[in-house]
């Protein structure tokens, strides 16, 4: 009976996963698009990251306390950029992808256009949905966050970060698209560099912002499908042609 119960549970999980994929493809009606089902990260509490602490101290006119290991800090090292994790890891930019995949088990999907299917949108804030997107020879980090910017009023924030420098990020344009019930909503912008804090991008509102009512309008049984497309900017393309 125990063996049967475990097998039956696994079959149900597989059927549920296949159903989620079918819903996303039905919403976007694009057979060539890759679909990634992303489960939420909710159990961890927000902890102040180093960049957030430095930013807050600077705004208050107070420098952060200086520790011995910070005196010899290598300026080429970047902190872990994974939201919702208070991770002490630091490393060079070229090994950030390996750290995110191996330590935080973040999936990576390849292709110019993909569908990001976030499940369990009803969970209380703060909640994150995270995936890496490999495209045009670079890796991007898509973060969808449910957060209460005002108490009692949760909102959804979606942004794309390039795992690279700000100069490299200026060469690309990303588009997020919601499409359901004969309604379409698009957000198009230049991705921010992973060297910037995700928290600051969200607090500045330089991303796709949805209130709860709008998110429910585009969701399907608690799941939100977001189409993602990344292209090179016109300036970068013209320079390449010259």
């Amino acid at each position: 009976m125990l063996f049967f119960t475990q097998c039956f549970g696994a079959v149900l999980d597989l059927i549920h996963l296949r159903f989620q994929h079918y819903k996303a493809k039905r919403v976007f009606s694009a057979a060539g698009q890759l679909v990634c089902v992303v489960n939420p990260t909710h159990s961890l509490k927000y902890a102040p990251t180093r960049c957030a602490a430095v930013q807050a101290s600077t705004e208050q006119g107070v420098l952060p306390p200086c520790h011995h290991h910070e005196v010899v800090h290598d300026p080429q090292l970047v902190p872990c950029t994974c939201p919702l994790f208070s991770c002490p890891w630091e490393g060079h930019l070229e090994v950030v992808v390996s750290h995110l995949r191996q330590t935080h088990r973040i999936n990576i999907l390849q292709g110019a256009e993909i569908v990001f299917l976030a499940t369990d949108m009803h969970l209380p804030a703060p909640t994150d949905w995270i995936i890496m997107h490999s495209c045009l020879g670079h890796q991007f980090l898509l973060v969808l966050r449910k957060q209460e910017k005002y108490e009692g009023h949760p909102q959804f924030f979606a942004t794309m970060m390039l795992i690279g420098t700000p100069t490299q990020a200026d060469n690309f344009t990303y588009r997020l698209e919601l499409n359901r019930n004969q309604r379409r909503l698009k957000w198009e912008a230049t991705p921010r560099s992973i060297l910037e804090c995700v928290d600051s991008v969200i607090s500045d509102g330089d991303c796709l912002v949805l209130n709860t009512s709008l998110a429910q309008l585009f969701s399907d049984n608690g799941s939100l499908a977001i189409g993602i497309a990344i292209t090179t900017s016109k300036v970068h393309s013209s320079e390449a042609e010259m």
Side-chain angles (χ1 to χ4, degrees):
M1 283 296 295
L2 180 61
F3 176 78
F4 175 79
T5 302
Q6 291 178 343
C7 290
F8 185 70
V11 171
L12 287 180
D13 291 340
L14 180 61
I15 293 175
H16 177 70
L17 183 62
R18 295 292 298 177
F19 180 65
Q20 296 282 12
H21 277 264
Y22 168 76
K23 289 196 300 181
K25 289 186 177 181
R26 183 192 63 191
V27 170
F28 282 85
S29 64
Q33 286 184 319
L34 297 174
V35 180
C36 184
V37 178
V38 184
N39 295 319
T41 303
H42 176 70
S43 59
L44 299 177
K45 295 182 179 180
Y46 279 104
T49 59
R50 188 184 65 185
C51 58
V54 171
Q55 182 181 6
S57 301
T58 304
E59 292 175 353
Q60 297 174 3
V62 180
L63 292 177
C66 180
H67 300 285
H68 176 69
H69 72 277
E70 291 179 340
V71 176
V72 294
H73 174 70
D74 187 346
Q76 295 183 344
L77 296 180
V78 295
C80 177
T81 53
C82 186
L84 277 182
F85 287 92
S86 179
C87 179
W89 179 89
E90 288 183 332
H92 291 278
L93 192 59
E94 57 268 19
V95 295
V96 170
V97 173
S98 299
H99 170 73
L100 294 176
R101 295 198 67 181
Q102 296 174 8
T103 303
H104 300 301
R105 305 297 181 184
I106 296 180
N107 294 326
I108 186 168
L109 210 59
Q110 298 184 358
E113 296 186 8
I114 64 175
V115 176
F116 177 96
L117 185 63
T119 65
D120 300 323
M121 301 293 295
H122 61 277
L123 289 177
T127 304
D128 275 13
W129 295 259
I130 311 168
I131 191 177
M132 282 191 292
H133 183 186
S134 179
C135 177
L136 300 175
H138 288 77
Q139 284 74 39
F140 301 82
L141 186 70
L142 177 69
V143 178
L144 173 65
R145 174 175 297 174
K146 184 178 183 180
Q147 179 175 318
E148 289 189 358
K149 200 165 186 179
Y150 305 100
E151 186 175 357
H153 299 279
Q155 293 178 302
F156 293 88
F157 303 86
T159 186
M160 181 76 76
M161 312 286 288
L162 172 72
I163 303 180
T165 65
T167 302
Q168 292 174 322
D170 289 338
N171 294 327
F172 299 95
T173 299
Y174 75 95
R175 186 182 73 246
L176 305 179
E177 179 178 337
L178 304 176
N179 189 349
R180 186 172 182 268
N181 291 337
Q182 298 181 345
R183 297 177 178 87
R184 178 174 296 179
L185 179 64
K186 290 184 180 181
W187 167 267
E188 187 171 290
T190 300
R192 304 282 285 271
S193 168
I194 202 69
L195 300 178
E196 305 177 56
C197 293
V198 176
D199 293 339
S200 63
V201 174
I202 291 177
S203 62
D204 293 342
D206 186 16
C207 55
L208 174 64
V209 183
L210 305 172
N211 58 31
T212 304
S213 300
L214 196 57
Q216 291 177 350
L217 197 63
F218 285 98
S219 65
D220 184 10
N221 291 327
S223 297
L224 187 67
I226 304 177
I228 307 170
I230 301 177
T231 57
T232 55
S233 63
K234 295 181 180 179
V235 175
H236 179 66
S237 300
S238 60
E239 291 177 351
E241 292 176 359
M242 293 176 63

